[in-house]
Amino acid sequence: MSAKIGEKAPNFGVSEWVQGAPTNFDQEKDHIVLLEVFQVNCPGCFMHAIPEAINIYSKYKDEGVCVLGLATAFEDFDKNTLDNLKMLAETGEVIGETKDALSSYGQLQEGNKLSFKIPFPLGMDNLTKTSGEISQEKIMEFIYPQIPEFDSQPEEYKNQIIERVKSYMKSKEYSAETFEKFALQGTPSTILVDRKGILRDVSFGQTGHVDAMIQKLLNEN
């Protein structure tokens, strides 16, 4: 089941919670839920998105807003691992490009550790080893959310996109349930669900509009 804005949000995939109590969208009734989806090896996630999510958590935690963090992997499968997420949760230590970037900006403490603690629950997306033939149906399921007007494009353009998606899918060692179910475009991404469990927003990158959206949802009856 893939997610659609304005409809009931399907549960996100999680293989293990490394911090906080296990939960999911259907267990957070009467709460507004912000799910921050990141990769352990993603500098932008730690420089901007996670600090923003921490601010939202601090500001609204007593007003019925639940903030959750979910680590996923759509690349760098050797770094975006459960073990590295556990290390992050337990010690604050970061790895790879995240470490290099934060270090060059002087934002790490001794031992390559974050200068802040992530206070909300953290889980790992459900990763499945990919195998078998890549069907045309799978390719189209990937394309349509990204290019809704795909069918009306010139034939040559369509063929190029199909080939590009096919080679991208071949290069993927694992398939990540949440990443695909919500048709995410990359990390960081935010998924926002209202008190009634309806999916209200899915955004990629640094949007800066999450706070305003949460305020709007809080004002709804």
Side-chain angles (χ1 to χ4, degrees):
M1 177 187 174
S2 59
K4 290 189 178 69
I5 304 277
E7 292 184 8
K8 195 159 183 56
N11 275 343
F12 55 89
V14 60
S15 59
E16 191 174 323
W17 289 96
V18 303
Q19 177 171 294
T23 188
N24 217 306
F25 291 138
D26 64 353
Q27 292 171 44
E28 292 295 336
K29 290 185 174 66
D30 302 327
H31 284 143
I32 292 162
V33 185
L34 174 69
L35 182 68
E36 185 70 54
V37 184
F38 65 99
Q39 290 187 109
V40 177
N41 193 39
C42 165
C45 297
F46 289 86
M47 293 174 81
H48 308 292
I50 290 174
E52 182 185 32
I54 292 170
N55 286 340
I56 298 273
Y57 170 83
S58 305
K59 191 171 173 182
Y60 296 112
K61 68 177 189 290
D62 299 326
E63 294 186 45
V65 177
C66 167
V67 178
L68 304 169
L70 188 76
T72 190
F74 63 91
E75 60 190 357
D76 303 330
F77 297 107
D78 58 325
K79 296 188 180 72
N80 292 313
T81 63
L82 177 61
D83 285 344
N84 283 336
L85 177 65
K86 283 179 174 171
M87 181 171 75
L88 169 75
E90 286 161 20
T91 68
E93 190 180 335
V94 291
I95 50 93
E97 288 169 35
T98 303
K99 179 182 82 175
D100 296 344
L102 292 181
S103 174
S104 69
Y105 283 100
Q107 290 183 11
L108 286 183
Q109 295 181 337
E110 201 178 324
N112 301 317
K113 292 180 181 176
L114 292 176
S115 57
F116 54 84
K117 172 97 179 86
I118 301 173
F120 43 78
L122 293 172
M124 183 77 201
D125 201 353
N126 222 354
L127 300 184
T128 315
K129 195 103 173 127
T130 49
S131 61
E133 196 49 41
I134 297 159
S135 68
Q136 188 71 9
E137 188 187 358
K138 247 189 185 157
I139 292 170
M140 300 322 291
E141 271 178 14
F142 181 88
I143 291 174
Y144 283 131
Q146 323 276 348
I147 313 172
E149 66 288 358
F150 182 77
D151 288 338
S152 60
Q153 300 298 319
E155 211 54 41
E156 193 181 336
Y157 170 81
K158 288 202 290 194
N159 291 337
Q160 277 179 354
I161 295 290
I162 286 168
E163 282 311 309
R164 216 183 295 167
V165 169
K166 196 184 272 183
S167 67
Y168 163 70
M169 286 180 154
K170 275 185 183 159
S171 74
K172 279 179 63 183
E173 233 180 298
Y174 292 91
S175 145
E177 184 184 338
T178 307
F179 195 83
E180 295 184 10
K181 196 184 273 184
F182 289 86
L184 302 182
Q185 296 172 314
T187 53
S189 284
T190 53
I191 298 171
L192 192 60
V193 173
D194 70 16
R195 288 191 188 101
K196 297 184 174 115
I198 303 299
L199 181 63
R200 299 296 289 266
D201 184 67
V202 177
S203 295
F204 166 56
Q206 280 328 134
T207 54
H209 73 305
V210 175
D211 196 308
M213 286 205 69
I214 286 174
Q215 285 189 27
K216 181 171 167 265
L217 294 183
L218 283 169
N219 291 329
E220 288 181 0
N221 291 327

